[in-house]
Amino acid sequence: MLRPDPVAVGIDLGGTKVEACLVDGGRKVLARERNPSEPGLGRERVVANILRLIADTAGGRPLGAVGLGTPGTYDPADDIMYGAPHTPLYEKPGLISLLRSELTVPLVVENDANCLALAEYFEPGRERHASVMAVILGTGMGAGLILDRRLYRGARGNAGEIGHATIDFNGRPCECGRRGCAEAYLSGPSLSRRFAELSGEKIPPHEIYLRFEKGDPLAKGFFEETFLIMGEVFANAVNILDIEAIILGGGVSNIPLWYERVPPYLRKGLFGVPGRDIPILKARLGDSAGVIGAAYLALKQMGLMDF
Ligand SMILES: [Zn+2]
């Protein structure tokens, strides 16, 4: 009897949930599941939750590899994640190596923004852009880079940390300890905090947007300033990397204003070759981008994708 072709599992490990998807060699999603990740119960529990999810998703089919995406920077030299302030357990040594030791197939680990970049870059039609930056705007702000059709990790896997590029070194304090980081202006919690300072009311970004739509002058002024900040931050990235498009994912990306209103500011900040139009595109895969990108890591490990 013919053995079925091996499949790959992608895992998106977050602070509250862990999600898995099963894909075949042609990148078709065959199954998806999610469970609580329970980092409060310790790393053995998190690993057990991941292993159960892998087994449930694979449903007995032969696995070729597992890809895992999670916030922070994965450093292969130490086999741990760095800079994941919202998920401190994942930063401690041991979680990744414990998971690796429990698996019988290779495990590939990557930053969740890199997974977003991969998943979105391989969406139909997007291949016309050889170099893109995919930004996660949510609790924090991070980015993944595809440069000349390759995932660019940098020397220590730390490339794309645009959320911690400063726009004002006397500016707002950031969770990382520095001042004026883009994240301190543009992440979901930062948007709410900045608006609260103007209005005295702390409301989620989507509600600020609804007020903008109703013509609230405070919300209008707030967004105009935010378009300028975002445009400047993205122009810096384009000036350094000469990317062709920016893709936005994460909860804050659901505000539709960014796609029309930020590009004029971005354009004003560009240096060099004239006439470039850098589109800001909404992530198509929504919440699923991370887990699908993680599955692509596994497919690459199996020799079935190239990036
Ligand atoms: Zn910072």
Side-chain angles (χ1 to χ4, degrees), residues 12-297:
D12 182 15
L13 177 62
T16 56
K17 50 113 200 160
V18 52
E19 186 169 357
C21 81
L22 183 76
V23 295
D24 68 13
R27 310 206 307 252
K28 187 169 169 234
V29 176
L30 305 173
R32 289 181 53 170
E33 309 239 1
R34 72 163 59 179
N35 275 329
S37 50
E38 303 181 305
L41 298 177
R43 89 180 158 217
E44 282 77 14
R45 181 61 166 262
V46 174
V47 168
N49 286 339
I50 295 171
L51 291 170
R52 186 158 38 90
L53 202 56
I54 293 172
D56 288 354
T57 317
R61 279 165 283 206
L63 265 189
V66 172
L68 180 136
T70 192
T73 298
Y74 175 65
D75 181 4
D78 295 336
D79 206 26
I80 68 170
M81 304 296 298
Y82 286 105
H86 310 291
T87 48
L89 176 77
Y90 307 159
E91 258 196 346
K92 295 200 177 95
L95 183 104
I96 308 274
S97 46
L98 178 62
L99 176 60
R100 197 186 300 286
S101 70
E102 295 283 339
L103 288 170
T104 54
V105 295
L107 172 70
V108 192
V109 182
E110 198 53 84
N111 165 266
D112 57 352
N114 289 357
C115 292
L116 168 78
L118 280 176
E120 291 290 331
Y121 169 74
F122 281 102
E123 276 291 281
R126 290 268 163 87
E127 62 274 18
R128 68 178 185 275
H129 302 301
S131 298
V132 301
M133 178 172 75
V135 180
I136 296 187
L137 261 183
T139 318
M141 179 179 186
L145 294 166
I146 305 285
L147 300 180
D148 289 335
R149 306 197 183 281
R150 316 299 290 180
L151 176 68
Y152 183 73
R153 304 188 75 256
R156 297 289 295 269
N158 208 48
E161 291 294 355
I162 193 165
H164 303 281
T166 183
I167 55 165
D168 175 359
F169 48 68
N170 293 312
R172 303 178 65 81
C174 180
E175 276 189 54
C176 73
R178 284 166 28 95
R179 280 192 173 272
C181 292
E183 178 176 298
Y185 296 80
L186 299 174
S187 73
S190 300
L191 293 173
S192 292
R193 267 195 293 270
R194 284 176 48 227
F195 188 70
E197 286 164 19
L198 283 177
S199 68
E201 274 179 282
K202 197 152 191 184
I203 55 174
H206 196 73
E207 281 180 38
I208 312 174
Y209 162 65
L210 294 178
R211 291 199 187 180
F212 173 96
E213 287 292 293
K214 282 192 199 131
D216 177 309
L218 277 182
K220 286 215 153 208
F222 171 80
F223 268 108
E224 282 304 329
E225 185 186 48
T226 306
F227 300 148
L228 168 67
I229 294 169
M230 195 182 285
E232 291 286 349
V233 171
F234 290 170
N236 285 339
V238 176
N239 287 339
I240 296 168
L241 299 166
D242 198 8
I243 46 186
E244 296 157 275
I246 289 163
I247 298 167
L248 277 191
V252 172
S253 72
N254 293 323
I255 294 173
L257 299 171
W258 315 128
Y259 308 96
E260 304 256 311
R261 303 295 297 274
V262 176
Y265 288 105
L266 199 173
R267 224 173 288 134
K268 270 190 217 155
L270 296 184
F271 176 85
V273 180
R276 281 176 300 166
D277 197 10
I278 313 293
I280 299 177
L281 308 167
K282 190 169 192 305
R284 280 194 205 139
L285 295 163
D287 272 358
S288 316
V291 75
I292 289 173
Y296 292 175
L297 298 172

